[in-house]
Amino acid sequence: MKGQEIREKFLRFFESKGHKILPSASLIPHNDPSILWTAAGMVPFKPYFTGAAKPEVLRVTTCQKCLRTPDIDSVGRTARHHTFFEMLGNFSFGDYFKKDAIPWAWEFVTEHLGLEAERLWITIYLDDDEAFEIWHKDVGVPENRIVRMGKDTNFWEIGVGPCGPCSEIYYDLGEERGCGLPDCAVGCDCDRYLEIWNLVFIQFFRDEEGNYTPLKNKGIDTGMGLERVASVLQNVKTNFDTDLFRDIMDFTGELTGKPYGTGAEYDLALKVIADHSRAVTFAVADGALPSNEGRGYVLRRLLRRAVRFGRVLGMEEPFLYRVAGAVIDKMGNAYPELVKNRELVTRVIKTEEERFGETLAQGTEIINRLIREARQSGKNYIDGEQAFRLYDTYGFPMELTREIAEENDLTVDEEGFTRAMEKQRERARSARQETEYLSEKTARLKNILEQVGETVFTGYDTLATKSKIRAIFVGDEQVDQAGAGQEVELILDITPCYAEAGGQVSDHARITAESTEVAVEEVTRPVEGLHLHRGRVLSGILRVNDEVEVQVDRRRRMNIARNHSATHLLHKSLKEVLGGHVNQAGSLVAPDRLRFDFTHYAAIEPDELARIEKMVNEAILSNLKVETFESTLDEARGMGAAALFEEKYGDRVRVVKMGDFSLELCGGTHVQSTSEVGMFKLLSESSVGSGLRRVEAVTGEGAMDYLRAKEEQLNLIAKTVKAAPHELVHRVETLVQELRELEKEAETLRAKLARYEVQSMLDRSRDIAGIKVLAARSGAADMDSLRAMLDLLWDKIGSGVIVLGAAVNGKVNLVAGVSKDLVAKGLHAGKLLKEIAPLVGGGGGGRPDMAQAGGKNPAGLEAALDKVYALVESAVI
């Protein structure tokens, strides 16, 4: 009986008993912050059991998708552990209780699933005499097959919430599956007795202190693991051998060229990938995204763990998104949300795979070095501070470091890791304190604000104004005057200078008097209401209460305004093209460029970027009027105005409207019509974190500079390849084709040289006790070439021992191979390399038939190769 049939049969059976079939709830619990994931079938119905909500119907049946991760390290290594699984359940919300639930369960497993009654065992809670009476007297289960068990197994609870005693149905898989011990029985840790269904009798509510209060409305919550019961009905030894997993594993096996059954290491990888891909696929379809905290961290950990097991199968490129497609094909009929969100799921997973590929490449190289260093120094562990550096600098998960270390018979100094983590937190706290604005100066500025009042900002309407110097700072000291050459900070009573805010950089300006000039390079608002102008006195003497003229750098202001207005047009275009989920997450508006960060789950496709750029430019060419006005926050939101990242709003807000295209709350400076932006050109698109993307662009003068540089670059390329610009594509295609032909020719020559080298090496092989042994230096440029050389030699030598070494760029590569007939006699390639690698200043190892190693001392290569013959001789004579 296939999984789909079992699922359908269960639901229809309870429908016949008056239950309403409901679709599975999301893996992300609704309005339940006490748990990260929906981990049981009853989770969506907790309010009904507590009386906090009234159900529309009193009897429900579901097949609930569930996710649990406490036993993640056991997945694939045991027959039954999973992260994602399906829970078949029937529920009563104050309607029927044990008297109905128990007989129905027996009826379903014996009559509808066809399980033999004599192979079924029942467990009940220690003092649940009511359940015993029903099982024994009403159903007819013999007394000796009803086992009373304790709270650790037969009392169901999951943190705070409804709970109660339970009764489990076990299936006897046969004596041959048991441990053979005389006391083997239900509850034994061996595989003989398999729990297939748990009937939970919801009678109590557990509070945060662990107290149990009887519920007014008793309920029924049952859970039958679909994967487990499928393994019984399909007569297979593990859940992974059921059709629920095998279809996915077979897809992965075909994809990787390592079909299920090839070997224990590969089978473990296929199992982990099948399990984790199911979990990840369903989680993303339900709205979870990879991140560094909460359920996003769990998702990222599962995804990255699956990717690393993909490396075991030889998958270096993203592949898990394709396995997710197989999950959707397998389970989409039962869970239509998978089909609906196929594009989202595959995009998110592929993006995370690509990001982790970069992390894994860097981190694996470093951890392999740490393993070698640990062995060379005689340690059986990886230093905790080094493991933390790997985590902190490269984002390499601690769990992954631990797993790789264990695979190499090492541990990780986790106490040292924790200490390093705490040190970093302390440094971060200290750094935050150090970067705070000096409290003494802040107090002084607040005092000035009380004395002279707020700085009046006139920069929306004018770029020049007369003003008066209210305060002067040189460093942290408040002074009465400053002279030429001094760095100063000035407070004015009136200013047209925009202070840095909302991602927009500040204005530059000139402050002048009769014989005095100050170049203003930065304007900030360290205290609300005060503009602080930082600059250098170019000439004269500046005094408090001097009357001055302030002139904003008009060209710079205009370029900033172009970029800021373009940012609003970009924001709207991103929403139009990518979807309403796009929201601003940060920005930089500078005179030479703009940068815009926003929420989105994947890289933007080239055609989408083209549409976004086109939409912005169409808005620019439409010459939309740019209007600004004040409103209340509620009124602005009622008009549909977007609130920007980290902007602080008071009772009155400033709204920027660009025709009917864009409406946003914004305190920045803008052009008067969109045509003044000139032109908009996207420069780049990239990731800045999980679920966050960044685009950079130029407008106006910046766009012209960009196009001019591109044109110069094009002309230079044309000159280099000796072709007119309009002929460049054809010329480059011709050159590429010629290069490919030369590369093919070079490859052919390399192959010929390799054959000559192979023959030369074979002539130097030795016979040791009837065994062909070859230990030779090769000119191979890298490890891949060295392994290829080893394969060529195997074709010629057949049976024997081969060790090859190559020195390249100050490093040594070693590979070793032992034919299977000699492995059976005790020769071991990994042990051979372990013996000789120290002579080249390295380490390594591997399987009995194939191993590789590396080192940093090319001078020791000849001695290492010579030692091979002695090692083989001592092993066989």
PDB file of all heavy atoms in Angstrom, residues 407-419:
ATOM      1  N   GLU A 407      34.369  13.076  11.817  1.00  0.00           N
ATOM      2  CA  GLU A 407      34.699  12.188  10.700  1.00  0.00           C
ATOM      3  C   GLU A 407      36.195  11.931  10.614  1.00  0.00           C
ATOM      4  O   GLU A 407      36.638  10.948  10.017  1.00  0.00           O
ATOM      5  CB  GLU A 407      34.197  12.787   9.384  1.00  0.00           C
ATOM      6  CG  GLU A 407      32.678  12.768   9.256  1.00  0.00           C
ATOM      7  CD  GLU A 407      32.186  13.588   8.070  1.00  0.00           C
ATOM      8  OE1 GLU A 407      33.038  14.099   7.311  1.00  0.00           O
ATOM      9  OE2 GLU A 407      30.959  13.705   7.913  1.00  0.00           O
ATOM     10  N   ASN A 408      36.980  12.822  11.193  1.00  0.00           N
ATOM     11  CA  ASN A 408      38.433  12.683  11.192  1.00  0.00           C
ATOM     12  C   ASN A 408      38.963  12.290  12.568  1.00  0.00           C
ATOM     13  O   ASN A 408      40.129  12.529  12.887  1.00  0.00           O
ATOM     14  CB  ASN A 408      39.082  13.991  10.726  1.00  0.00           C
ATOM     15  CG  ASN A 408      38.913  14.234   9.242  1.00  0.00           C
ATOM     16  OD1 ASN A 408      39.714  13.791   8.432  1.00  0.00           O
ATOM     17  ND2 ASN A 408      37.835  14.933   8.873  1.00  0.00           N
ATOM     18  N   ASP A 409      38.066  11.687  13.383  1.00  0.00           N
ATOM     19  CA  ASP A 409      38.432  11.190  14.711  1.00  0.00           C
ATOM     20  C   ASP A 409      38.971  12.293  15.620  1.00  0.00           C
ATOM     21  O   ASP A 409      39.879  12.066  16.432  1.00  0.00           O
ATOM     22  CB  ASP A 409      39.457  10.054  14.599  1.00  0.00           C
ATOM     23  CG  ASP A 409      38.912   8.862  13.828  1.00  0.00           C
ATOM     24  OD1 ASP A 409      37.730   8.542  14.027  1.00  0.00           O
ATOM     25  OD2 ASP A 409      39.668   8.276  13.033  1.00  0.00           O
ATOM     26  N   LEU A 410      38.430  13.496  15.481  1.00  0.00           N
ATOM     27  CA  LEU A 410      38.806  14.621  16.337  1.00  0.00           C
ATOM     28  C   LEU A 410      37.560  15.181  17.004  1.00  0.00           C
ATOM     29  O   LEU A 410      36.431  14.916  16.588  1.00  0.00           O
ATOM     30  CB  LEU A 410      39.491  15.725  15.528  1.00  0.00           C
ATOM     31  CG  LEU A 410      40.813  15.390  14.824  1.00  0.00           C
ATOM     32  CD1 LEU A 410      41.253  16.567  13.971  1.00  0.00           C
ATOM     33  CD2 LEU A 410      41.900  15.038  15.822  1.00  0.00           C
ATOM     34  N   THR A 411      37.767  15.972  18.058  1.00  0.00           N
ATOM     35  CA  THR A 411      36.673  16.703  18.687  1.00  0.00           C
ATOM     36  C   THR A 411      36.942  18.198  18.512  1.00  0.00           C
ATOM     37  O   THR A 411      37.967  18.595  17.964  1.00  0.00           O
ATOM     38  CB  THR A 411      36.573  16.372  20.184  1.00  0.00           C
ATOM     39  OG1 THR A 411      37.805  16.729  20.811  1.00  0.00           O
ATOM     40  CG2 THR A 411      36.292  14.892  20.394  1.00  0.00           C
ATOM     41  N   VAL A 412      36.020  19.014  18.999  1.00  0.00           N
ATOM     42  CA  VAL A 412      36.194  20.465  18.975  1.00  0.00           C
ATOM     43  C   VAL A 412      36.175  20.971  20.414  1.00  0.00           C
ATOM     44  O   VAL A 412      35.337  20.548  21.221  1.00  0.00           O
ATOM     45  CB  VAL A 412      35.078  21.143  18.154  1.00  0.00           C
ATOM     46  CG1 VAL A 412      35.258  22.657  18.169  1.00  0.00           C
ATOM     47  CG2 VAL A 412      35.060  20.632  16.731  1.00  0.00           C
ATOM     48  N   ASP A 413      37.086  21.841  20.722  1.00  0.00           N
ATOM     49  CA  ASP A 413      37.129  22.463  22.045  1.00  0.00           C
ATOM     50  C   ASP A 413      35.966  23.443  22.152  1.00  0.00           C
ATOM     51  O   ASP A 413      36.106  24.644  21.899  1.00  0.00           O
ATOM     52  CB  ASP A 413      38.479  23.177  22.226  1.00  0.00           C
ATOM     53  CG  ASP A 413      38.516  24.027  23.493  1.00  0.00           C
ATOM     54  OD1 ASP A 413      37.714  23.758  24.407  1.00  0.00           O
ATOM     55  OD2 ASP A 413      39.332  24.965  23.550  1.00  0.00           O
ATOM     56  N   GLU A 414      34.800  22.929  22.538  1.00  0.00           N
ATOM     57  CA  GLU A 414      33.587  23.744  22.537  1.00  0.00           C
ATOM     58  C   GLU A 414      33.577  24.773  23.660  1.00  0.00           C
ATOM     59  O   GLU A 414      32.967  25.830  23.529  1.00  0.00           O
ATOM     60  CB  GLU A 414      32.353  22.846  22.577  1.00  0.00           C
ATOM     61  CG  GLU A 414      32.287  21.909  21.370  1.00  0.00           C
ATOM     62  CD  GLU A 414      30.900  21.388  21.077  1.00  0.00           C
ATOM     63  OE1 GLU A 414      29.921  22.066  21.446  1.00  0.00           O
ATOM     64  OE2 GLU A 414      30.794  20.325  20.454  1.00  0.00           O
ATOM     65  N   GLU A 415      34.253  24.465  24.766  1.00  0.00           N
ATOM     66  CA  GLU A 415      34.371  25.473  25.832  1.00  0.00           C
ATOM     67  C   GLU A 415      35.174  26.665  25.341  1.00  0.00           C
ATOM     68  O   GLU A 415      34.842  27.819  25.614  1.00  0.00           O
ATOM     69  CB  GLU A 415      35.024  24.852  27.061  1.00  0.00           C
ATOM     70  CG  GLU A 415      34.137  23.869  27.806  1.00  0.00           C
ATOM     71  CD  GLU A 415      34.785  23.376  29.098  1.00  0.00           C
ATOM     72  OE1 GLU A 415      35.835  23.925  29.465  1.00  0.00           O
ATOM     73  OE2 GLU A 415      34.220  22.457  29.722  1.00  0.00           O
ATOM     74  N   GLY A 416      36.262  26.383  24.600  1.00  0.00           N
ATOM     75  CA  GLY A 416      37.060  27.460  24.021  1.00  0.00           C
ATOM     76  C   GLY A 416      36.268  28.264  23.013  1.00  0.00           C
ATOM     77  O   GLY A 416      36.399  29.493  22.935  1.00  0.00           O
ATOM     78  N   PHE A 417      35.411  27.562  22.237  1.00  0.00           N
ATOM     79  CA  PHE A 417      34.538  28.243  21.280  1.00  0.00           C
ATOM     80  C   PHE A 417      33.605  29.203  22.004  1.00  0.00           C
ATOM     81  O   PHE A 417      33.431  30.356  21.606  1.00  0.00           O
ATOM     82  CB  PHE A 417      33.732  27.204  20.491  1.00  0.00           C
ATOM     83  CG  PHE A 417      32.782  27.793  19.483  1.00  0.00           C
ATOM     84  CD1 PHE A 417      33.166  27.987  18.168  1.00  0.00           C
ATOM     85  CD2 PHE A 417      31.484  28.148  19.846  1.00  0.00           C
ATOM     86  CE1 PHE A 417      32.294  28.529  17.237  1.00  0.00           C
ATOM     87  CE2 PHE A 417      30.605  28.686  18.927  1.00  0.00           C
ATOM     88  CZ  PHE A 417      31.024  28.879  17.612  1.00  0.00           C
ATOM     89  N   THR A 418      32.998  28.725  23.092  1.00  0.00           N
ATOM     90  CA  THR A 418      32.066  29.557  23.871  1.00  0.00           C
ATOM     91  C   THR A 418      32.776  30.758  24.469  1.00  0.00           C
ATOM     92  O   THR A 418      32.241  31.877  24.476  1.00  0.00           O
ATOM     93  CB  THR A 418      31.413  28.717  24.978  1.00  0.00           C
ATOM     94  OG1 THR A 418      30.763  27.583  24.385  1.00  0.00           O
ATOM     95  CG2 THR A 418      30.397  29.531  25.753  1.00  0.00           C
ATOM     96  N   ARG A 419      34.002  30.550  24.993  1.00  0.00           N
ATOM     97  CA  ARG A 419      34.756  31.666  25.562  1.00  0.00           C
ATOM     98  C   ARG A 419      35.059  32.720  24.494  1.00  0.00           C
ATOM     99  O   ARG A 419      34.945  33.927  24.746  1.00  0.00           O
ATOM    100  CB  ARG A 419      36.072  31.154  26.181  1.00  0.00           C
ATOM    101  CG  ARG A 419      35.905  30.453  27.512  1.00  0.00           C
ATOM    102  CD  ARG A 419      37.253  30.320  28.221  1.00  0.00           C
ATOM    103  NE  ARG A 419      38.224  29.585  27.426  1.00  0.00           N
ATOM    104  CZ  ARG A 419      38.378  28.265  27.458  1.00  0.00           C
ATOM    105  NH1 ARG A 419      37.609  27.542  28.251  1.00  0.00           N
ATOM    106  NH2 ARG A 419      39.313  27.681  26.714  1.00  0.00           N
TER     107      ARG A 419
END
